[in-house]
Amino acid sequence: MSSENTVFIGRKPILNYCTAVLEVLRNSDTVVMKARGAAISTAVDVAEVTRSRFLSDLKVDLIEIGTEELTTEEGRLRNVSTIKIVMNNIK
Amino acid sequence: MSSENTVFIGRKPILNYCTAVLEVLRNSDTVVMKARGAAISTAVDVAEVTRSRFLSDLKVDLIEIGTEELTTEEGRLRNVSTIKIVMNNIK
């Protein structure tokens, strides 16, 4: 899976990421959404809103959860949860 | 899947839900975690922390995302994203 197909979900409004997802799907059948921490909920929102408002053929292909180790500004290690949502638009 | 195996994830601390998940797994091989909105991130935290700290044999069996319609206090309809994480402890 090339990284060109990946949309990293952060703190921007949901529709910004929906636009990015639709942009990926102009050139690919598959899009990968990745998020960490509190943005995990936003990633699910982006997947659901893109499907319900823009592309009803979009289907969830795979959802994976995991843990990453982050170094905080104070130099401490902290675990953060991650999600990866793969969706495809194959009719 | 009986509702006895389901833990609804909300705004309490993560470890409260880890305890509830472990309690379910005393009598069952399978646990279902459900969450809506911002609690979706917490549900992923609960799954990851339970696996990494308490039960390394715990495996994700299924993750589903969806949308529910809620009525707000003002009587308006609002969509909220949902997640369902099914984990099992079969060795």
Side-chain angles (χ1 to χ4, degrees):
Chain A
M1 189 80 54
S2 95
S3 64
E4 290 168 23
N5 295 348
T6 301
V7 176
F8 290 93
I9 313 287
R11 297 177 186 185
K12 292 180 193 162
I14 293 168
L15 288 179
N16 290 35
Y17 299 112
C18 292
T19 308
V21 165
L22 293 169
E23 186 64 29
V24 167
L25 292 172
R26 284 180 58 192
N27 301 305
S28 165
D29 288 332
T30 303
V31 62
V32 181
M33 283 163 259
K34 290 185 176 181
R36 300 195 291 204
I40 288 174
S41 307
T42 312
V44 175
D45 286 337
V46 171
E48 285 294 304
V49 169
T50 307
R51 179 166 59 180
S52 62
R53 286 207 218 164
F54 301 111
L55 277 180
S56 55
D57 286 322
L58 203 59
K59 295 208 168 43
V60 173
D61 198 36
L62 173 79
I63 303 178
E64 280 178 2
I65 59 174
T67 303
E68 270 180 30
E69 229 172 35
L70 280 189
T71 307
T72 64
E73 287 177 14
E74 298 87 41
R76 288 192 207 150
L77 285 176
R78 199 169 72 82
N79 285 333
V80 63
S81 299
T82 62
I83 198 166
K84 173 179 162 184
I85 303 175
V86 183
M87 300 187 90
N88 70 56
N89 193 29
I90 300 161
K91 280 148 200 164
Chain B
M1 187 81 52
S2 95
S3 64
E4 290 167 24
N5 295 348
T6 302
V7 176
F8 291 94
I9 312 288
R11 296 176 187 186
K12 292 179 195 164
I14 294 168
L15 288 179
N16 290 33
Y17 300 112
C18 292
T19 308
V21 165
L22 293 169
E23 185 65 28
V24 167
L25 291 171
R26 285 180 57 192
N27 302 306
S28 165
D29 288 334
T30 303
V31 62
V32 181
M33 283 163 258
K34 289 185 177 181
R36 302 196 289 204
I40 288 174
S41 308
T42 312
V44 174
D45 287 336
V46 172
E48 285 295 304
V49 169
T50 307
R51 178 166 60 181
S52 63
R53 286 207 218 164
F54 301 111
L55 277 179
S56 55
D57 286 321
L58 202 60
K59 296 210 167 40
V60 174
D61 198 35
L62 174 79
I63 303 178
E64 281 177 2
I65 59 174
T67 304
E68 271 180 30
E69 230 172 34
L70 279 188
T71 307
T72 64
E73 287 176 14
E74 300 86 39
R76 289 192 206 149
L77 285 177
R78 198 170 72 81
N79 285 333
V80 63
S81 298
T82 62
I83 198 166
K84 174 180 163 185
I85 303 174
V86 182
M87 299 188 90
N88 70 57
N89 193 29
I90 301 162
K91 279 147 201 165

